[in-house]
Amino acid sequence: MSLTALFLGYGRMGASLGEAWIEADLVQRIDAVDPHRAQDVKARVYRSAAELPDTIYDLVIVAVKPAMAREALAAVSIARLRNASIISVMAGVSIATLEQALPIACPVVRSMPNTPVMVHQGCVGLFGGISVTSPLRDKISQLYNAVGKSYWVETEEQLHAITALSGSGPAYYHLFSEALADAGERLGLPSELAKQLAAQTALGAATLQCGDGANFSSLRQEVTSPNGTTHAAIEVFEKDSALRCLVTEAVVKAHQRSIELSQG
Ligand SMILES: NC(=O)c1ccc[n+]([C@@H]2O[C@H](COP(=O)([O-])OP(=O)(O)OC[C@H]3O[C@@H](n4cnc5c(N)ncnc54)[C@H](OP(=O)(O)O)[C@@H]3O)[C@@H](O)[C@H]2O)c1
């Protein structure tokens, strides 16, 4: 695709996406506005929008913190936006808010990526306003599929659930790995070995879960012989559905928080 893209904000998330798209040859050129980013990337970084060349961009990716969205968009001139589609990666900033902040009408897509996009194993929830055409959806899916898997949802509200599940989800798995490694250390393993075992086990289990037709419950049962070691552990997790209740409570809290944050 011979696209020219402008990134507003080229921090952790912006640069993870932009650099991957350049490497995959999905964009021809990226200009990025970011006041403090070093020139250590393939994109051309400008300190402010006033320094941008006279380019008419195909895509404008808004990857600043939500509080900076209006300021970042207001700084870009109408001329540079006149052919652009907008992709936001910001949590909790609605399509309506973005449309109001834009100086001209542009198609707007919201995306909710997660940190594994940095290793091209992310998952991304996508929602587009009514002006988003089918070819544009395909183009955006192609971009996000370069850093993992992308999934369009039917309502903007569903992005709150995506935020609570996969947006925040990597932190849940990291916490479980911390707990598992700590438990291994308590059983006498060296700390580094316990960490490596926890991480490699997470990678192996996730790879099995992503297999064609995988069923999480069957995968678990395959490891769980009656009265064996796994069975002893699973009984603890499943007593009064303890783990499931905790996970549900935590994800519901994240969902509520996502809604609160979006209301300012
Ligand atoms: N990281 C994640 O897991 C994740 C997941 C999903 C969505 N997101 C979303 O991605 C967005 C960016 O997050 P991040 O983790 O990449 O943050 P980040 O690393 O802080 O990147 C944001 C960058 O934007 C720069 N910036 C600030 N004001 C600007 C302006 N007016 N114009 C242009 N650039 C400006 C910041 O510079 P300074 O540091 O100098 O202010 C910073 O380099 C957030 O809205 C977040 O909701 C992040």
Side-chain angles (χ1 to χ4, degrees), residues 99-136:
E99 284 174 346
Q100 278 161 18
L102 281 163
I104 51 167
C106 301
V108 178
V109 169
R110 280 184 62 190
S111 62
M112 176 41 62
N114 62 6
T115 51
V117 296
M118 294 173 193
V119 291
H120 302 189
Q121 292 291 351
C123 59
V124 184
L126 293 163
F127 177 77
I130 42 170
S131 54
V132 177
T133 61
S134 183
L136 178 58

PDB file of all heavy atoms in Angstrom, residues 99-136:
ATOM      1  N   GLU A  99     -14.695  13.580  16.248  1.00  0.00           N
ATOM      2  CA  GLU A  99     -15.289  14.308  15.113  1.00  0.00           C
ATOM      3  C   GLU A  99     -15.399  15.801  15.434  1.00  0.00           C
ATOM      4  O   GLU A  99     -15.140  16.643  14.585  1.00  0.00           O
ATOM      5  CB  GLU A  99     -16.653  13.715  14.750  1.00  0.00           C
ATOM      6  CG  GLU A  99     -16.492  12.397  13.986  1.00  0.00           C
ATOM      7  CD  GLU A  99     -17.807  11.674  13.716  1.00  0.00           C
ATOM      8  OE1 GLU A  99     -18.829  12.019  14.327  1.00  0.00           O
ATOM      9  OE2 GLU A  99     -17.794  10.726  12.903  1.00  0.00           O
ATOM     10  N   GLN A 100     -15.759  16.087  16.708  1.00  0.00           N
ATOM     11  CA  GLN A 100     -15.876  17.511  17.103  1.00  0.00           C
ATOM     12  C   GLN A 100     -14.509  18.202  17.093  1.00  0.00           C
ATOM     13  O   GLN A 100     -14.400  19.379  16.793  1.00  0.00           O
ATOM     14  CB  GLN A 100     -16.460  17.624  18.512  1.00  0.00           C
ATOM     15  CG  GLN A 100     -17.977  17.513  18.547  1.00  0.00           C
ATOM     16  CD  GLN A 100     -18.486  17.173  19.937  1.00  0.00           C
ATOM     17  OE1 GLN A 100     -17.778  17.342  20.925  1.00  0.00           O
ATOM     18  NE2 GLN A 100     -19.702  16.663  19.996  1.00  0.00           N
ATOM     19  N   ALA A 101     -13.471  17.439  17.445  1.00  0.00           N
ATOM     20  CA  ALA A 101     -12.130  18.042  17.536  1.00  0.00           C
ATOM     21  C   ALA A 101     -11.498  18.262  16.162  1.00  0.00           C
ATOM     22  O   ALA A 101     -10.548  19.026  16.029  1.00  0.00           O
ATOM     23  CB  ALA A 101     -11.227  17.144  18.380  1.00  0.00           C
ATOM     24  N   LEU A 102     -12.049  17.582  15.147  1.00  0.00           N
ATOM     25  CA  LEU A 102     -11.455  17.704  13.807  1.00  0.00           C
ATOM     26  C   LEU A 102     -11.927  18.972  13.105  1.00  0.00           C
ATOM     27  O   LEU A 102     -13.114  19.292  13.156  1.00  0.00           O
ATOM     28  CB  LEU A 102     -11.872  16.490  12.957  1.00  0.00           C
ATOM     29  CG  LEU A 102     -11.106  15.206  13.211  1.00  0.00           C
ATOM     30  CD1 LEU A 102     -11.875  14.011  12.628  1.00  0.00           C
ATOM     31  CD2 LEU A 102      -9.713  15.271  12.591  1.00  0.00           C
ATOM     32  N   PRO A 103     -11.022  19.675  12.413  1.00  0.00           N
ATOM     33  CA  PRO A 103     -11.443  20.895  11.730  1.00  0.00           C
ATOM     34  C   PRO A 103     -12.274  20.622  10.476  1.00  0.00           C
ATOM     35  O   PRO A 103     -12.986  21.493  10.001  1.00  0.00           O
ATOM     36  CB  PRO A 103     -10.116  21.572  11.365  1.00  0.00           C
ATOM     37  CG  PRO A 103      -9.095  20.489  11.375  1.00  0.00           C
ATOM     38  CD  PRO A 103      -9.575  19.447  12.325  1.00  0.00           C
ATOM     39  N   ILE A 104     -12.189  19.398   9.909  1.00  0.00           N
ATOM     40  CA  ILE A 104     -13.045  19.021   8.774  1.00  0.00           C
ATOM     41  C   ILE A 104     -13.562  17.599   9.001  1.00  0.00           C
ATOM     42  O   ILE A 104     -12.987  16.849   9.794  1.00  0.00           O
ATOM     43  CB  ILE A 104     -12.311  19.062   7.404  1.00  0.00           C
ATOM     44  CG1 ILE A 104     -10.999  18.268   7.466  1.00  0.00           C
ATOM     45  CG2 ILE A 104     -12.089  20.468   6.924  1.00  0.00           C
ATOM     46  CD1 ILE A 104     -10.409  18.024   6.091  1.00  0.00           C
ATOM     47  N   ALA A 105     -14.615  17.238   8.268  1.00  0.00           N
ATOM     48  CA  ALA A 105     -15.185  15.895   8.429  1.00  0.00           C
ATOM     49  C   ALA A 105     -14.260  14.852   7.803  1.00  0.00           C
ATOM     50  O   ALA A 105     -13.846  14.998   6.648  1.00  0.00           O
ATOM     51  CB  ALA A 105     -16.557  15.848   7.769  1.00  0.00           C
ATOM     52  N   CYS A 106     -13.899  13.845   8.567  1.00  0.00           N
ATOM     53  CA  CYS A 106     -13.059  12.736   8.065  1.00  0.00           C
ATOM     54  C   CYS A 106     -13.652  11.437   8.618  1.00  0.00           C
ATOM     55  O   CYS A 106     -14.233  11.441   9.707  1.00  0.00           O
ATOM     56  CB  CYS A 106     -11.639  12.816   8.635  1.00  0.00           C
ATOM     57  SG  CYS A 106     -10.740  14.315   8.285  1.00  0.00           S
ATOM     58  N   PRO A 107     -13.466  10.306   7.913  1.00  0.00           N
ATOM     59  CA  PRO A 107     -13.860   9.028   8.507  1.00  0.00           C
ATOM     60  C   PRO A 107     -13.009   8.762   9.760  1.00  0.00           C
ATOM     61  O   PRO A 107     -11.803   9.026   9.749  1.00  0.00           O
ATOM     62  CB  PRO A 107     -13.530   8.001   7.417  1.00  0.00           C
ATOM     63  CG  PRO A 107     -13.327   8.788   6.169  1.00  0.00           C
ATOM     64  CD  PRO A 107     -12.896  10.166   6.579  1.00  0.00           C
ATOM     65  N   VAL A 108     -13.652   8.288  10.821  1.00  0.00           N
ATOM     66  CA  VAL A 108     -12.926   8.071  12.084  1.00  0.00           C
ATOM     67  C   VAL A 108     -13.098   6.621  12.532  1.00  0.00           C
ATOM     68  O   VAL A 108     -14.217   6.103  12.583  1.00  0.00           O
ATOM     69  CB  VAL A 108     -13.449   9.004  13.203  1.00  0.00           C
ATOM     70  CG1 VAL A 108     -12.706   8.736  14.518  1.00  0.00           C
ATOM     71  CG2 VAL A 108     -13.292  10.471  12.807  1.00  0.00           C
ATOM     72  N   VAL A 109     -11.968   5.995  12.853  1.00  0.00           N
ATOM     73  CA  VAL A 109     -11.974   4.623  13.378  1.00  0.00           C
ATOM     74  C   VAL A 109     -11.312   4.639  14.751  1.00  0.00           C
ATOM     75  O   VAL A 109     -10.274   5.275  14.931  1.00  0.00           O
ATOM     76  CB  VAL A 109     -11.195   3.674  12.431  1.00  0.00           C
ATOM     77  CG1 VAL A 109     -10.949   2.316  13.077  1.00  0.00           C
ATOM     78  CG2 VAL A 109     -11.962   3.499  11.128  1.00  0.00           C
ATOM     79  N   ARG A 110     -11.953   3.976  15.702  1.00  0.00           N
ATOM     80  CA  ARG A 110     -11.300   3.797  17.012  1.00  0.00           C
ATOM     81  C   ARG A 110     -10.703   2.406  17.082  1.00  0.00           C
ATOM     82  O   ARG A 110     -11.305   1.426  16.649  1.00  0.00           O
ATOM     83  CB  ARG A 110     -12.325   3.941  18.142  1.00  0.00           C
ATOM     84  CG  ARG A 110     -12.648   5.379  18.465  1.00  0.00           C
ATOM     85  CD  ARG A 110     -13.580   5.454  19.655  1.00  0.00           C
ATOM     86  NE  ARG A 110     -12.979   4.900  20.864  1.00  0.00           N
ATOM     87  CZ  ARG A 110     -13.650   4.680  21.981  1.00  0.00           C
ATOM     88  NH1 ARG A 110     -14.948   4.942  22.041  1.00  0.00           N
ATOM     89  NH2 ARG A 110     -13.041   4.195  23.039  1.00  0.00           N
ATOM     90  N   SER A 111      -9.491   2.324  17.649  1.00  0.00           N
ATOM     91  CA  SER A 111      -8.863   1.011  17.814  1.00  0.00           C
ATOM     92  C   SER A 111      -8.424   0.862  19.259  1.00  0.00           C
ATOM     93  O   SER A 111      -8.086   1.842  19.913  1.00  0.00           O
ATOM     94  CB  SER A 111      -7.651   0.885  16.876  1.00  0.00           C
ATOM     95  OG  SER A 111      -6.674   1.846  17.191  1.00  0.00           O
ATOM     96  N   MET A 112      -8.483  -0.351  19.761  1.00  0.00           N
ATOM     97  CA  MET A 112      -7.992  -0.635  21.106  1.00  0.00           C
ATOM     98  C   MET A 112      -6.965  -1.760  21.016  1.00  0.00           C
ATOM     99  O   MET A 112      -7.288  -2.938  21.070  1.00  0.00           O
ATOM    100  CB  MET A 112      -9.176  -1.026  22.012  1.00  0.00           C
ATOM    101  CG  MET A 112      -8.796  -1.435  23.421  1.00  0.00           C
ATOM    102  SD  MET A 112      -7.503  -0.442  24.221  1.00  0.00           S
ATOM    103  CE  MET A 112      -8.240   1.164  24.279  1.00  0.00           C
ATOM    104  N   PRO A 113      -5.692  -1.378  20.805  1.00  0.00           N
ATOM    105  CA  PRO A 113      -4.643  -2.398  20.746  1.00  0.00           C
ATOM    106  C   PRO A 113      -4.176  -2.773  22.155  1.00  0.00           C
ATOM    107  O   PRO A 113      -4.595  -2.160  23.130  1.00  0.00           O
ATOM    108  CB  PRO A 113      -3.519  -1.675  19.987  1.00  0.00           C
ATOM    109  CG  PRO A 113      -3.760  -0.218  20.190  1.00  0.00           C
ATOM    110  CD  PRO A 113      -5.190  -0.015  20.585  1.00  0.00           C
ATOM    111  N   ASN A 114      -3.327  -3.788  22.257  1.00  0.00           N
ATOM    112  CA  ASN A 114      -2.706  -4.076  23.557  1.00  0.00           C
ATOM    113  C   ASN A 114      -1.185  -4.173  23.375  1.00  0.00           C
ATOM    114  O   ASN A 114      -0.678  -4.171  22.237  1.00  0.00           O
ATOM    115  CB  ASN A 114      -3.317  -5.329  24.216  1.00  0.00           C
ATOM    116  CG  ASN A 114      -3.124  -6.596  23.419  1.00  0.00           C
ATOM    117  OD1 ASN A 114      -2.431  -6.615  22.405  1.00  0.00           O
ATOM    118  ND2 ASN A 114      -3.743  -7.666  23.862  1.00  0.00           N
ATOM    119  N   THR A 115      -0.465  -4.223  24.489  1.00  0.00           N
ATOM    120  CA  THR A 115       1.000  -4.101  24.404  1.00  0.00           C
ATOM    121  C   THR A 115       1.684  -5.209  23.581  1.00  0.00           C
ATOM    122  O   THR A 115       2.751  -4.933  23.016  1.00  0.00           O
ATOM    123  CB  THR A 115       1.660  -4.030  25.796  1.00  0.00           C
ATOM    124  OG1 THR A 115       1.180  -5.115  26.586  1.00  0.00           O
ATOM    125  CG2 THR A 115       1.368  -2.716  26.480  1.00  0.00           C
ATOM    126  N   PRO A 116       1.152  -6.419  23.470  1.00  0.00           N
ATOM    127  CA  PRO A 116       1.852  -7.399  22.618  1.00  0.00           C
ATOM    128  C   PRO A 116       1.959  -7.006  21.141  1.00  0.00           C
ATOM    129  O   PRO A 116       2.652  -7.692  20.376  1.00  0.00           O
ATOM    130  CB  PRO A 116       1.033  -8.686  22.821  1.00  0.00           C
ATOM    131  CG  PRO A 116       0.468  -8.535  24.200  1.00  0.00           C
ATOM    132  CD  PRO A 116       0.117  -7.073  24.298  1.00  0.00           C
ATOM    133  N   VAL A 117       1.353  -5.895  20.728  1.00  0.00           N
ATOM    134  CA  VAL A 117       1.629  -5.413  19.357  1.00  0.00           C
ATOM    135  C   VAL A 117       3.126  -5.163  19.200  1.00  0.00           C
ATOM    136  O   VAL A 117       3.663  -5.236  18.099  1.00  0.00           O
ATOM    137  CB  VAL A 117       0.842  -4.130  18.958  1.00  0.00           C
ATOM    138  CG1 VAL A 117      -0.648  -4.359  18.917  1.00  0.00           C
ATOM    139  CG2 VAL A 117       1.199  -2.943  19.833  1.00  0.00           C
ATOM    140  N   MET A 118       3.809  -4.895  20.323  1.00  0.00           N
ATOM    141  CA  MET A 118       5.263  -4.632  20.264  1.00  0.00           C
ATOM    142  C   MET A 118       6.029  -5.848  19.757  1.00  0.00           C
ATOM    143  O   MET A 118       7.131  -5.709  19.237  1.00  0.00           O
ATOM    144  CB  MET A 118       5.794  -4.270  21.661  1.00  0.00           C
ATOM    145  CG  MET A 118       5.252  -2.965  22.181  1.00  0.00           C
ATOM    146  SD  MET A 118       5.756  -2.718  23.886  1.00  0.00           S
ATOM    147  CE  MET A 118       4.686  -1.374  24.352  1.00  0.00           C
ATOM    148  N   VAL A 119       5.472  -7.035  19.949  1.00  0.00           N
ATOM    149  CA  VAL A 119       6.113  -8.263  19.454  1.00  0.00           C
ATOM    150  C   VAL A 119       5.238  -8.921  18.371  1.00  0.00           C
ATOM    151  O   VAL A 119       5.342 -10.123  18.120  1.00  0.00           O
ATOM    152  CB  VAL A 119       6.420  -9.247  20.621  1.00  0.00           C
ATOM    153  CG1 VAL A 119       7.523  -8.701  21.500  1.00  0.00           C
ATOM    154  CG2 VAL A 119       5.175  -9.565  21.441  1.00  0.00           C
ATOM    155  N   HIS A 120       4.380  -8.093  17.773  1.00  0.00           N
ATOM    156  CA  HIS A 120       3.527  -8.523  16.654  1.00  0.00           C
ATOM    157  C   HIS A 120       2.592  -9.667  17.053  1.00  0.00           C
ATOM    158  O   HIS A 120       2.256 -10.514  16.238  1.00  0.00           O
ATOM    159  CB  HIS A 120       4.375  -8.893  15.424  1.00  0.00           C
ATOM    160  CG  HIS A 120       5.236  -7.767  14.951  1.00  0.00           C
ATOM    161  ND1 HIS A 120       5.942  -7.808  13.777  1.00  0.00           N
ATOM    162  CD2 HIS A 120       5.503  -6.548  15.472  1.00  0.00           C
ATOM    163  CE1 HIS A 120       6.611  -6.668  13.611  1.00  0.00           C
ATOM    164  NE2 HIS A 120       6.364  -5.895  14.635  1.00  0.00           N
ATOM    165  N   GLN A 121       2.227  -9.691  18.327  1.00  0.00           N
ATOM    166  CA  GLN A 121       1.279 -10.692  18.824  1.00  0.00           C
ATOM    167  C   GLN A 121       0.134  -9.998  19.558  1.00  0.00           C
ATOM    168  O   GLN A 121      -0.419 -10.545  20.515  1.00  0.00           O
ATOM    169  CB  GLN A 121       1.986 -11.666  19.792  1.00  0.00           C
ATOM    170  CG  GLN A 121       3.003 -12.574  19.144  1.00  0.00           C
ATOM    171  CD  GLN A 121       2.375 -13.615  18.235  1.00  0.00           C
ATOM    172  OE1 GLN A 121       1.156 -13.784  18.205  1.00  0.00           O
ATOM    173  NE2 GLN A 121       3.192 -14.305  17.469  1.00  0.00           N
ATOM    174  N   GLY A 122      -0.181  -8.788  19.095  1.00  0.00           N
ATOM    175  CA  GLY A 122      -1.237  -8.043  19.769  1.00  0.00           C
ATOM    176  C   GLY A 122      -2.615  -8.509  19.350  1.00  0.00           C
ATOM    177  O   GLY A 122      -2.763  -9.327  18.435  1.00  0.00           O
ATOM    178  N   CYS A 123      -3.631  -7.989  20.049  1.00  0.00           N
ATOM    179  CA  CYS A 123      -4.966  -8.083  19.469  1.00  0.00           C
ATOM    180  C   CYS A 123      -5.606  -6.723  19.605  1.00  0.00           C
ATOM    181  O   CYS A 123      -5.355  -5.986  20.565  1.00  0.00           O
ATOM    182  CB  CYS A 123      -5.796  -9.223  20.002  1.00  0.00           C
ATOM    183  SG  CYS A 123      -6.097  -9.223  21.706  1.00  0.00           S
ATOM    184  N   VAL A 124      -6.387  -6.409  18.610  1.00  0.00           N
ATOM    185  CA  VAL A 124      -6.868  -5.051  18.448  1.00  0.00           C
ATOM    186  C   VAL A 124      -8.361  -5.085  18.181  1.00  0.00           C
ATOM    187  O   VAL A 124      -8.815  -5.754  17.251  1.00  0.00           O
ATOM    188  CB  VAL A 124      -6.153  -4.374  17.239  1.00  0.00           C
ATOM    189  CG1 VAL A 124      -6.577  -2.921  17.113  1.00  0.00           C
ATOM    190  CG2 VAL A 124      -4.646  -4.485  17.364  1.00  0.00           C
ATOM    191  N   GLY A 125      -9.117  -4.352  19.004  1.00  0.00           N
ATOM    192  CA  GLY A 125     -10.546  -4.177  18.743  1.00  0.00           C
ATOM    193  C   GLY A 125     -10.727  -2.920  17.914  1.00  0.00           C
ATOM    194  O   GLY A 125     -10.061  -1.905  18.150  1.00  0.00           O
ATOM    195  N   LEU A 126     -11.628  -2.980  16.929  1.00  0.00           N
ATOM    196  CA  LEU A 126     -11.826  -1.847  16.015  1.00  0.00           C
ATOM    197  C   LEU A 126     -13.300  -1.502  15.914  1.00  0.00           C
ATOM    198  O   LEU A 126     -14.159  -2.392  15.881  1.00  0.00           O
ATOM    199  CB  LEU A 126     -11.319  -2.218  14.618  1.00  0.00           C
ATOM    200  CG  LEU A 126      -9.811  -2.437  14.453  1.00  0.00           C
ATOM    201  CD1 LEU A 126      -9.528  -3.191  13.154  1.00  0.00           C
ATOM    202  CD2 LEU A 126      -9.076  -1.113  14.478  1.00  0.00           C
ATOM    203  N   PHE A 127     -13.582  -0.205  15.859  1.00  0.00           N
ATOM    204  CA  PHE A 127     -14.951   0.244  15.592  1.00  0.00           C
ATOM    205  C   PHE A 127     -14.900   1.468  14.687  1.00  0.00           C
ATOM    206  O   PHE A 127     -14.104   2.376  14.909  1.00  0.00           O
ATOM    207  CB  PHE A 127     -15.693   0.612  16.892  1.00  0.00           C
ATOM    208  CG  PHE A 127     -17.066   1.145  16.620  1.00  0.00           C
ATOM    209  CD1 PHE A 127     -18.100   0.276  16.283  1.00  0.00           C
ATOM    210  CD2 PHE A 127     -17.317   2.512  16.633  1.00  0.00           C
ATOM    211  CE1 PHE A 127     -19.371   0.769  15.985  1.00  0.00           C
ATOM    212  CE2 PHE A 127     -18.584   3.008  16.330  1.00  0.00           C
ATOM    213  CZ  PHE A 127     -19.606   2.131  16.008  1.00  0.00           C
ATOM    214  N   GLY A 128     -15.757   1.462  13.682  1.00  0.00           N
ATOM    215  CA  GLY A 128     -15.759   2.579  12.733  1.00  0.00           C
ATOM    216  C   GLY A 128     -17.093   3.291  12.712  1.00  0.00           C
ATOM    217  O   GLY A 128     -18.145   2.666  12.870  1.00  0.00           O
ATOM    218  N   GLY A 129     -17.032   4.599  12.536  1.00  0.00           N
ATOM    219  CA  GLY A 129     -18.255   5.386  12.385  1.00  0.00           C
ATOM    220  C   GLY A 129     -18.913   5.094  11.043  1.00  0.00           C
ATOM    221  O   GLY A 129     -18.379   4.329  10.224  1.00  0.00           O
ATOM    222  N   ILE A 130     -20.072   5.737  10.780  1.00  0.00           N
ATOM    223  CA  ILE A 130     -20.837   5.393   9.576  1.00  0.00           C
ATOM    224  C   ILE A 130     -20.119   5.763   8.282  1.00  0.00           C
ATOM    225  O   ILE A 130     -20.369   5.195   7.245  1.00  0.00           O
ATOM    226  CB  ILE A 130     -22.256   6.036   9.559  1.00  0.00           C
ATOM    227  CG1 ILE A 130     -22.185   7.466  10.058  1.00  0.00           C
ATOM    228  CG2 ILE A 130     -23.262   5.228  10.330  1.00  0.00           C
ATOM    229  CD1 ILE A 130     -23.474   8.221   9.848  1.00  0.00           C
ATOM    230  N   SER A 131     -19.191   6.720   8.366  1.00  0.00           N
ATOM    231  CA  SER A 131     -18.498   7.138   7.136  1.00  0.00           C
ATOM    232  C   SER A 131     -17.329   6.222   6.779  1.00  0.00           C
ATOM    233  O   SER A 131     -16.597   6.491   5.818  1.00  0.00           O
ATOM    234  CB  SER A 131     -18.026   8.582   7.271  1.00  0.00           C
ATOM    235  OG  SER A 131     -17.262   8.697   8.445  1.00  0.00           O
ATOM    236  N   VAL A 132     -17.141   5.149   7.549  1.00  0.00           N
ATOM    237  CA  VAL A 132     -16.007   4.249   7.277  1.00  0.00           C
ATOM    238  C   VAL A 132     -16.449   3.189   6.253  1.00  0.00           C
ATOM    239  O   VAL A 132     -17.325   2.369   6.530  1.00  0.00           O
ATOM    240  CB  VAL A 132     -15.513   3.587   8.584  1.00  0.00           C
ATOM    241  CG1 VAL A 132     -14.397   2.596   8.297  1.00  0.00           C
ATOM    242  CG2 VAL A 132     -15.027   4.658   9.547  1.00  0.00           C
ATOM    243  N   THR A 133     -15.837   3.236   5.091  1.00  0.00           N
ATOM    244  CA  THR A 133     -16.241   2.340   4.000  1.00  0.00           C
ATOM    245  C   THR A 133     -15.605   0.959   4.170  1.00  0.00           C
ATOM    246  O   THR A 133     -14.650   0.800   4.941  1.00  0.00           O
ATOM    247  CB  THR A 133     -15.769   2.899   2.645  1.00  0.00           C
ATOM    248  OG1 THR A 133     -14.336   2.973   2.695  1.00  0.00           O
ATOM    249  CG2 THR A 133     -16.347   4.268   2.350  1.00  0.00           C
ATOM    250  N   SER A 134     -16.125   0.022   3.411  1.00  0.00           N
ATOM    251  CA  SER A 134     -15.596  -1.342   3.473  1.00  0.00           C
ATOM    252  C   SER A 134     -14.118  -1.419   3.027  1.00  0.00           C
ATOM    253  O   SER A 134     -13.306  -2.074   3.695  1.00  0.00           O
ATOM    254  CB  SER A 134     -16.528  -2.192   2.620  1.00  0.00           C
ATOM    255  OG  SER A 134     -16.174  -3.469   2.658  1.00  0.00           O
ATOM    256  N   PRO A 135     -13.718  -0.729   1.930  1.00  0.00           N
ATOM    257  CA  PRO A 135     -12.287  -0.763   1.573  1.00  0.00           C
ATOM    258  C   PRO A 135     -11.396  -0.177   2.670  1.00  0.00           C
ATOM    259  O   PRO A 135     -10.296  -0.662   2.912  1.00  0.00           O
ATOM    260  CB  PRO A 135     -12.211   0.081   0.295  1.00  0.00           C
ATOM    261  CG  PRO A 135     -13.587   0.090  -0.265  1.00  0.00           C
ATOM    262  CD  PRO A 135     -14.521  -0.057   0.885  1.00  0.00           C
ATOM    263  N   LEU A 136     -11.888   0.874   3.353  1.00  0.00           N
ATOM    264  CA  LEU A 136     -11.094   1.457   4.441  1.00  0.00           C
ATOM    265  C   LEU A 136     -10.957   0.455   5.595  1.00  0.00           C
ATOM    266  O   LEU A 136      -9.887   0.298   6.183  1.00  0.00           O
ATOM    267  CB  LEU A 136     -11.735   2.776   4.921  1.00  0.00           C
ATOM    268  CG  LEU A 136     -11.042   3.472   6.093  1.00  0.00           C
ATOM    269  CD1 LEU A 136      -9.577   3.805   5.768  1.00  0.00           C
ATOM    270  CD2 LEU A 136     -11.784   4.768   6.476  1.00  0.00           C
TER     271      LEU A 136
END
